[in-house]
Amino acid sequence: MPVDITWWGHATATVRDSGVAVLTDPLLTRRCAHLWRRRGAVPPPAVLGADVVVVSHLHADHLHLRSLARLAPGTPLVLPRGAVRAVPGLRRLAARLPVYELTPGEALPFGPVTIRAVPAAHDGRRLPVGPRRVSALGYVIEGASRTYYAGDTGLFDGMARETGPVDTVLLPVGGWGPGLGHGHLNAERAARALTRLRPAHAVPVHYGTYWPLGFAAVRPHEFHAPGDEFVRHAARLAPGVRVHQLGHGERVRVPVGPAVRE
């Protein structure tokens, strides 16, 4: 059975496997704090019909309370362990959304799909406040296929061991500002991750969407280029992986055989 992946921009994507729609790190507004959406339309209301939502870590561009508040009552929300305690706004959401907190290695079934939490090399605390440390996660969505959504992460020893065999990966290849700090993948490091994970398909995410207000002329290459650079580095380092560079709102259908872009 094919798996449909739609990239909405930044780290927000819908992975539909076995009829279950999993929405990742929903950021559904034009503005997030000092960041403005410079490319791609805001995701349509249809994304709110997801069957389950996963949040990788507590940074505001991944755990965005205004976007989560728009989810339909009863939508399951999967979070890193300790998130509700660390982010008071989540307590209000938990009154109408079933909340599940996971640590690496734990898994939950949602119909024919299982969502398994895996580690990420990223400081996932809620900043600038939030003294409690809450580990960032990635997720492996296991149904008819195995799709790894990395969230935000750097390369780390044991990455492939933690994820296990995967068919498709959604990897961050950039950021939202003129520089990337520790615990991130740029385009080349993301391509090197392919050599460890050895998937059949890859979709670059987390680039070319949000940029700080007033920074349009500051290192614009860092905004526009990561997707193209990932394609180039992946062709050199992992030529056996088929990379699907999607535009905002574009979908790829990943079957057992060749993928079909729509």
Side-chain angles (χ1 to χ4, degrees):
M1 180 180 295
V3 174
D4 288 342
I5 298 171
T6 307
W7 182 53
W8 302 110
H10 200 58
T12 305
T14 299
V15 178
R16 184 177 293 274
D17 187 329
S18 304
V20 177
V22 181
L23 180 63
T24 67
D25 287 349
L27 184 52
L28 310 178
T29 58
R30 187 156 297 281
R31 182 177 179 180
C32 173
H34 64 298
L35 305 179
W36 285 85
R37 192 176 184 106
R38 291 189 57 214
R39 183 188 286 173
V42 172
V47 305
L48 299 171
D51 298 297
V52 58
V53 175
V54 298
V55 171
S56 61
H57 62 287
L58 306 190
H59 292 168
D61 58 320
H62 292 257
L63 193 162
H64 188 245
L65 291 171
R66 285 175 54 205
S67 295
L68 295 176
R70 295 174 57 192
L71 296 172
T75 304
L77 178 60
V78 181
L79 302 164
R81 180 81 61 191
V84 174
R85 183 182 63 175
V87 182
L90 284 173
R91 299 169 198 168
R92 293 188 294 272
L93 290 176
R96 63 183 190 84
L97 301 177
V99 172
Y100 304 90
E101 295 189 334
L102 298 181
T103 56
E106 294 182 324
L108 284 170
F110 294 93
V113 164
T114 296
I115 294 177
R116 177 166 52 91
V118 297
H122 189 70
D123 184 351
R125 294 174 296 172
R126 191 73 164 181
L127 301 174
V129 296
R132 299 184 183 91
R133 180 168 181 81
V134 176
S135 296
L137 298 177
Y139 296 97
V140 178
I141 302 162
E142 301 175 337
S145 188
R146 293 160 297 188
T147 303
Y148 170 43
Y149 168 64
D152 253 356
T153 188
L155 281 173
F156 61 93
D157 292 339
M159 175 183 271
R161 182 180 68 249
E162 296 289 352
T163 64
V166 290
D167 302 297
T168 303
V169 297
L170 280 68
L171 292 179
V173 301
W176 51 253
L180 283 173
H182 178 72
H184 294 86
L185 295 175
N186 63 12
E188 183 175 11
R189 290 194 294 272
R192 293 191 182 281
L194 296 180
T195 67
R196 304 184 184 191
L197 298 166
R198 302 179 66 182
H201 303 274
V203 176
V205 300
H206 205 285
Y207 77 99
T209 309
Y210 289 89
W211 206 245
L213 180 64
F215 273 50
V218 179
R219 294 180 65 83
H221 174 83
E222 300 293 340
F223 179 83
H224 293 286
D228 292 336
E229 291 184 348
F230 177 69
V231 171
R232 178 169 56 84
H233 288 302
R236 175 174 58 89
L237 296 170
V241 179
R242 185 167 182 185
V243 176
H244 309 282
Q245 185 182 4
L246 302 179
H248 294 80
E250 278 193 324
R251 179 181 67 170
V252 63
R253 175 162 290 176
V254 183
V256 175
V260 179
R261 182 173 170 178
E262 299 182 1

